[in-house]
Amino acid sequence: DGGITQSPKYLFRKEGQNVTLSCEQNLNHDAMYWYRQDPGQGLRLIYYSQIVNDFQKGDIAEGYSVSREKKESFPLTVTSAQKNPTAFYLCASSKRHQTSTDTQYFGPGTRLTVL
Amino acid sequence: GIQVEQSPPDLILQEGANSTLRCNFSDSVNNLQWFHQNPWGQLINLFYIPSGTKQNGRLSATTVATERYSLLYISSSQTTDSGVYFCAVKAGTALIFGKGTTLSVSS
């Protein structure tokens, strides 16, 4: 099956810990994205990557880090510097980032709770 | 930056009713998408519609780019239509989301 997978589905973290959320796609898409969703809100962009070994900050990058060593994978690390990390995290991918006809497709999400 | 406003914020319908969801945006865009987020959180692509009209089964969408709004029509609603509907626009490099319309369809 082609698509985007995220793991784990649920994640619990103690304050002061770093955690890494996994995102993998087998759609052969160049661009990948991480969004954060808070209750009753729309999605906000954390980081995006247009190609391997390149990534750019989105609107709310503080306290997060990413890597893009492989085309298929774009893991997100939520560091202890992120002051309010409890949220629903969604990964997306698209064929190209810059073109106007770019359509993004989303994974099932990871729900992170800080205890 | 560009602002995206969706209305109404909440909508409650009986099964079989029709509805119209609206998305207003504050500047010219070159990309507009509608998504449905189901109760489990999965975002499902409904339409890519920067202008014009498209239909897919009971759903249709119209974007009037010159007047900076888009409409999503749901006809003969079903309980499986429940969830949150998001409009997202792209003016440069980033996709900007509205806050969504939460639809509840009861049988």
Side-chain angles (χ1 to χ4, degrees), chain A residues 33 35 37 40-43 45 48 59 88 90 96-108 111, chain B residues 30-33 35 37 39-45 48 84 86 90 92-100:
Chain A
Y33 310 82
Y35 292 88
Q37 185 179 24
Q41 301 295 315
L43 280 66
L45 183 65
Y48 65 94
D59 299 323
F88 188 49
L90 287 150
R96 299 279 186 273
H97 176 70
Q98 294 282 359
T99 62
S100 61
T101 56
D102 192 49
T103 299
Q104 292 186 22
Y105 298 90
F106 284 80
R111 204 167 293 276
Chain B
N30 53 23
N31 182 328
L32 187 147
Q33 294 181 242
F35 296 90
Q37 187 170 40
W40 297 271
Q42 175 78 55
L43 259 87
I44 300 158
N45 295 64
Y48 165 79
V84 184
F86 287 106
K90 190 174 183 184
T93 56
L95 203 58
I96 309 297
F97 282 78
K99 292 188 177 181

Side-chain angles (χ1 to χ4, degrees), chain B residues 66-83:
Chain B
T66 53
E67 296 188 23
R68 299 181 186 167
Y69 72 88
S70 183
L71 302 174
L72 178 69
Y73 305 97
I74 305 174
S75 64
S76 304
S77 57
Q78 300 176 356
T79 56
T80 51
D81 295 331
S82 296

Side-chain angles (χ1 to χ4, degrees), chain B residues 5-6 15 17 30 34 44 53-54 59 67 74 76 84 91:
Chain B
E5 292 185 5
Q6 293 186 242
E15 207 167 20
N30 53 23
W34 282 97
I44 300 158
T53 298
K54 289 187 177 179
L59 272 60
E67 296 188 23
I74 305 174
S76 304
V84 184

